[in-house]
Amino acid sequence: MPYAEKIQLFTGLLILFIASSGYYLAKLYYTKKGRNDLQYFLKIYMFAGSLIGTHQVFEFLSLHYQSQIIYKVGLLISLSGMIIYGISLEILYNKNFYFKRLGFIGLLISIIYLFSKNTHFDTLDFHLTHYSIFVWTLIWLFLLIYWNICIIFGRQNIKRYIKGSVTLMYPLVTMMISFFISLFYSIYSYLKQQENICTNFPSVWCTLAFLQIAFIPIFLVQLPKLYNKRPPRSSLSTKKFHQYLFATLLLTIFILWILSKSDCFNLQFIFA
């Protein structure tokens, strides 16, 4: 079995094991603490993590069998994980950020896009290289940015229920620590070896997602202390929703502009 395949399988199974065992351990902990109000969040939150692990297993299977179908399904599972993380935020804040609507639209576009074309992928070092997934990457990035904006600016009227440290801790331990580590690695690889950031970063990040395992338990243990009680149900106003979408769009465009400076974001990458 090639090295990259072993890494994808190992990290995928590791994330799946931690997500499932961590769920039951945290469930017992919350029950002991009398915090049944956190049980639903825990279930959705760990389910999202298990989808990221499942995506890694599908990357292994797509390499092992050289199957485009498995590869495309794995990408959709990964995107579903991001969507479920968005829903976990809605549960945590008890606030509707319209993530289900955005996620459904993004998933539908990704399905049409991926299954209407041939995709090309290969291995490099310990990860995959993606050549034909621009639209999927763009949707993933858009939802990630929107998720972070909702976390930071969506705390209106719930500050007395949830301590401010959750705003920092929740995104970092969920995925942003491995995101920044992967970003630094990808930039280093580009500067040292001229490796393509656009084609490599998605798989580098998914592979290094197992690094979050060390931090998620800290968050789950601290959450009952930071989460006084569930806030009243609320929804993002139409005005705020449009403002968040506009800010997300601007940040997405800015990131694409930055990537264009590395010569990886070009017409060949978009239409491959």
Side-chain angles (χ1 to χ4, degrees):
M1 185 186 299
Y3 179 68
E5 288 186 21
K6 292 178 181 177
I7 293 296
Q8 300 306 305
L9 181 60
F10 172 76
T11 55
L13 293 177
L14 181 62
I15 293 171
L16 281 172
F17 173 75
I18 297 299
S20 56
S21 59
Y23 166 70
Y24 287 106
L25 288 173
K27 182 179 180 180
L28 291 173
Y29 175 71
Y30 289 164
T31 300
K32 184 178 179 180
K33 289 285 186 179
R35 297 304 305 268
N36 290 325
D37 56 323
L38 294 173
Q39 297 284 10
Y40 185 48
F41 164 77
L42 173 67
K43 181 178 180 180
I44 299 301
Y45 182 72
M46 299 304 275
F47 176 60
S50 70
L51 287 176
I52 302 302
T54 303
H55 163 69
Q56 286 299 100
V57 174
F58 268 71
E59 289 215 330
F60 155 73
L61 292 172
S62 65
L63 288 172
H64 189 73
Y65 293 105
Q66 287 297 302
S67 169
Q68 285 200 24
I69 297 296
I70 295 174
Y71 175 69
K72 293 173 182 179
V73 171
L75 292 174
L76 295 174
I77 291 172
S78 175
L79 182 60
S80 299
M82 180 65 250
I83 295 168
I84 299 300
Y85 273 130
I87 295 172
S88 79
L89 172 64
E90 293 185 330
I91 296 168
L92 187 69
Y93 283 10
N94 202 19
K95 190 168 190 174
N96 183 13
F97 293 108
Y98 309 106
F99 227 99
K100 296 183 185 72
R101 185 183 305 174
L102 285 176
F104 175 78
I105 294 171
L107 193 61
L108 182 61
I109 293 173
S110 294
I111 290 171
I112 295 171
Y113 169 73
L114 289 173
F115 285 94
S116 63
K117 61 179 298 186
N118 288 324
T119 53
H120 308 282
F121 57 94
D122 203 348
T123 58
L124 180 65
D125 299 329
F126 60 89
H127 57 86
L128 271 71
T129 300
H130 304 284
Y131 296 109
S132 316
I133 59 170
F134 168 67
V135 171
W136 174 89
T137 305
L138 191 63
I139 292 171
W140 223 112
L141 176 64
F142 188 90
L143 292 177
L144 175 70
I145 295 172
Y146 181 75
W147 177 70
N148 276 281
I149 287 176
C150 289
I151 293 169
I152 296 169
F153 298 104
R155 296 186 66 251
Q156 186 177 6
N157 300 325
I158 65 171
K159 293 180 181 179
R160 60 176 173 163
Y161 302 98
I162 304 174
K163 290 193 164 104
S165 51
V166 171
T167 305
L168 178 64
M169 195 178 232
Y170 169 66
L172 280 177
V173 305
T174 298
M175 64 175 74
M176 298 310 293
I177 289 176
S178 59
F179 175 88
F180 290 121
I181 292 174
S182 302
L183 181 61
F184 292 144
Y185 173 84
S186 297
I187 293 173
Y188 173 81
S189 297
Y190 167 73
L191 294 175
K192 287 293 184 181
Q193 302 171 331
Q194 293 298 300
E195 292 184 1
N196 192 312
I197 296 175
C198 292
T199 59
N200 293 343
F201 177 75
S203 186
V204 170
W205 184 22
C206 286
T207 305
L208 296 182
F210 79 95
L211 296 173
Q212 300 288 161
I213 291 170
F215 302 96
I216 289 176
I218 299 172
F219 171 64
L220 294 179
V221 169
Q222 291 296 317
L223 187 58
K225 304 172 187 177
L226 305 173
Y227 196 92
N228 297 326
K229 64 178 181 178
R230 199 173 190 200
R233 181 66 178 167
S234 62
S235 293
L236 198 66
S237 68
T238 302
K239 180 181 178 181
K240 288 284 186 183
F241 177 58
H242 291 155
Q243 288 175 346
Y244 288 10
L245 285 181
F246 183 66
T248 301
L249 180 61
L250 288 180
L251 284 172
T252 302
I253 293 172
F254 176 72
I255 290 172
L256 294 179
W257 177 76
I258 293 293
L259 287 173
S260 70
K261 301 302 179 181
S262 72
D263 297 325
C264 79
F265 181 64
N266 49 38
L267 291 177
Q268 182 180 357
F269 175 69
I270 294 173
F271 295 109

